[in-house]
């Protein structure tokens, strides 16, 4: 990929240090540069972002990063520049360097992602989604969201853009969903999303069935799962004002033909589904849906409400069908909670049960190993990607 980018006519040669060669690109990224040379320079930068050493080389180049960000949006190289920022932000090890080189990057990207006229808003949203996976950049982004006008907060604008079809005629904005999922890890964001007077969660629920993008579905489901950690809101979420459970169960349902007695136990939206009903095809999304329902069963009233809405029937069929071991195991745990005996007095809230120290250490070790494996897989995918722009924005 690096050779392909360099072969497009970008200036510079093999002599000199890599840093010096990168610095030579700066004059060709300036606003008044010849269009063909500017395009070649940006393609060279984009090619460098396809490898770990190339990304590390570019991340500390403050002037070059600013030049990429400031390219005129209507110019031909601007899209490649936006994609280069997506690739740089996909590398968690470079987030600190990126923010040091350009502290205002999260706010600048946010403004572009939410600008209905910005042609590369999807790339800006993808870069933000990648950045916000880490605590530091996520905190910077939350500060940028909070800096908006009180009457029209940044989070409100983000949700509006995500939930408004055609908000930007030139960008689908699917990556706003994983971006929202990432910021929903912050208590302030969850407080906004779960404010009963704002009607935010209700606007997100239909997107769990969004047919055109697994990125959007996954981000929305991740957001809802994060909201379900707030057990004090479970009664409201499960009650008639939100009625979240059918929206979590419907993607997990197949074309099963239940008996009349069983059918009456299901919510209306899950009764008599058509014979061609398909389950959510993405295993990661199915797992997040099961985890969200599991969180809703943390308290005794929540468990009763989930039982009363026939969740066991859908989960029973899902467990029989599920081909992915991780999802099937999560489904089995949830079924055991629903059909098992109630916890003893004082342990009714499963989110507040104290885990023994040795068990907690074992779980942390498992999490660390899984995270290391995930990072290795992400790095390998990034380096082997057939295209120079790598879309990376996993909801967390």
């Amino acid at each position: 990929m690096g050779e392909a980018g360099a072969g497009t006519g970008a200036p510079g040669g093999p002599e000199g240090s890599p840093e010096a060669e990168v610095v030579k690109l700066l004059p060709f990224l300036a606003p008044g540069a010849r269009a063909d040379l500017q395009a070649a320079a940006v393609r060279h930068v984009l090619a460098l972002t396809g490898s770990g050493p190339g990304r590390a080389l570019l991340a500390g180049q403050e002037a070059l990063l600013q030049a990429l960000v400031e390219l005129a949006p209507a110019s031909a190289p601007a899209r490649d520049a936006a994609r280069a920022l997506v690739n740089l932000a996909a590398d968690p090890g470079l987030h600190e360097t990126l923010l040091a080189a350009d502290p205002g990057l999260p706010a600048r990207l946010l403004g572009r992602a939410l600008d209905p006229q910005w042609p590369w808003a999807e790339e800006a949203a993808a870069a933000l989604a990648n950045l916000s996976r880490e605590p530091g950049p996520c905190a910077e982004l939350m500060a940028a969201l909070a800096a908006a006008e009180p009457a029209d907060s940044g989070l409100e604008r983000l949700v509006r853009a995500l939930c408004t079809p055609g908000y930007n005629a030139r960008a689908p904005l699917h990556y706003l969903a994983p971006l929202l999922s990432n910021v929903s890890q912050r208590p302030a964001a969850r407080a906004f999303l779960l404010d009963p007077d704002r009607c935010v969660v209700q606007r997100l629920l239909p997107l769990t069935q969004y047919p055109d993008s697994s990125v959007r579905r996954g981000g929305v489901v991740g957001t809802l799962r994060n909201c379900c950690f707030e057990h004090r809101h479970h009664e409201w979420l499960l009650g008639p004002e939100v009625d979240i459970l059918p929206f979590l169960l419907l993607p997990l349902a197949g074309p099963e033909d239940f008996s009349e007695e069983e059918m009456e136990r299901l919510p209306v939206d899950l009764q008599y589904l058509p014979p061609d009903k398909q389950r959510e095809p993405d295993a990661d999304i199915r797992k997040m849906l099961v985890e969200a329902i599991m969180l809703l069963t943390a308290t005794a009233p929540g468990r009763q409400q989930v039982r009363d809405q026939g969740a066991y029937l859908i989960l029973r069929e899902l467990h029989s069908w599920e081909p992915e071991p991780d999802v099937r195991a999560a489904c089995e745990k949830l079924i055991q909670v629903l059909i098992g005996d109630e916890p003893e007095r004082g342990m009714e809230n499963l989110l507040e049960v104290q885990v023994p120290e040795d068990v907690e250490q074992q779980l942390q070790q498992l999490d660390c190993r899984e995270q290391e494996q995930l990072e290795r897989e992400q790095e390998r995918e990034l380096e082997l990607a057939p295209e120079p722009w790598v879309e990376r924005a996993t909801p967390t």
Side-chain angles (χ1 to χ4, degrees), residues 176-185 218-223 225-226 395-396:
L176 289 181
L179 170 59
L180 182 62
S181 176
N182 292 344
V183 299
S184 69
Q185 297 177 91
V220 167
V221 171
T223 301
R225 180 193 60 179
N226 289 344
T396 59

Side-chain angles (χ1 to χ4, degrees), residues 38-80:
Q38 190 180 70
V42 174
R43 285 198 299 270
H44 185 69
V45 171
L46 177 57
L48 285 173
T49 65
S51 70
R55 292 191 297 274
L57 174 65
L58 294 169
Q61 301 293 327
E62 179 178 354
L64 187 143
L65 291 175
Q66 290 181 347
L68 290 177
V69 172
E70 292 170 3
L71 283 173
S75 66
R79 188 179 191 185
D80 284 344

Side-chain angles (χ1 to χ4, degrees), residues 66-127:
Q66 290 181 347
L68 290 177
V69 172
E70 292 170 3
L71 283 173
S75 66
R79 188 179 191 185
D80 284 344
R83 290 180 165 184
L85 290 174
V86 175
N87 287 356
L88 289 169
D91 194 329
L94 300 180
H95 288 179
E96 185 176 342
T97 307
L98 282 172
L99 291 180
D102 187 358
L105 184 61
R108 197 188 335 263
L109 289 172
L110 179 65
R112 293 181 174 183
L114 299 181
D115 183 347
Q117 303 302 321
W118 194 263
W120 318 125
E122 182 75 311
E123 286 79 2

Side-chain angles (χ1 to χ4, degrees), residues 194-200 236:
L194 294 168
D195 185 342
D197 296 328
R198 293 184 183 273
C199 194
V200 178
W236 175 70

Side-chain angles (χ1 to χ4, degrees), residues 183-342:
V183 299
S184 69
Q185 297 177 91
R186 314 285 296 191
R190 293 198 298 274
F192 168 85
L193 294 168
L194 294 168
D195 185 342
D197 296 328
R198 293 184 183 273
C199 194
V200 178
V201 171
Q202 293 92 325
R203 283 183 276 166
L204 296 174
L205 291 176
L207 297 179
T208 59
Q209 290 280 99
Y210 190 82
D212 298 331
S213 172
S214 61
V215 170
R216 185 175 295 229
R217 292 197 312 275
V220 167
V221 171
T223 301
L224 296 175
R225 180 193 60 179
N226 289 344
C227 288
C228 289
F229 276 97
E230 301 287 345
H231 63 85
R232 294 174 183 83
H233 293 271
H234 284 180
E235 184 176 355
W236 175 70
L237 287 169
L238 289 165
E241 291 185 65
V242 180
D243 198 20
I244 191 175
L245 189 59
F247 290 93
L248 300 177
L249 287 173
L250 185 56
L252 300 175
E256 290 81 22
D257 187 14
F258 295 107
S259 67
E260 288 293 331
E261 180 182 354
E262 289 178 327
M263 200 72 74
E264 291 178 359
R265 294 169 54 191
L266 293 169
V268 173
D269 291 343
L270 278 79
Q271 294 180 6
Y272 303 103
L273 297 177
D276 59 349
K277 169 67 171 70
Q278 299 292 318
R279 289 185 173 87
E280 165 59 53
D282 190 297
D284 291 334
I285 298 177
R286 293 198 303 273
K287 186 176 181 182
M288 287 192 291
L289 288 164
V290 173
E291 289 170 347
I293 300 171
M294 173 69 88
L295 289 168
L296 291 171
T297 65
T299 63
R303 287 190 289 277
Q304 191 58 51
Q305 285 177 282
V306 172
R307 290 187 185 110
D308 290 344
Q309 295 191 56
Y312 165 73
L313 299 173
I314 302 297
L315 295 167
R316 180 190 68 191
E317 301 302 321
L318 172 66
H319 183 265
S320 299
W321 169 89
E322 181 57 59
E324 294 296 329
D326 288 349
V327 186
R328 190 164 59 248
C331 185
E332 185 174 351
K333 287 182 181 179
L334 178 52
I335 289 174
Q336 290 173 350
V337 169
L338 293 177
I339 65 175
D341 296 332
E342 279 294 299

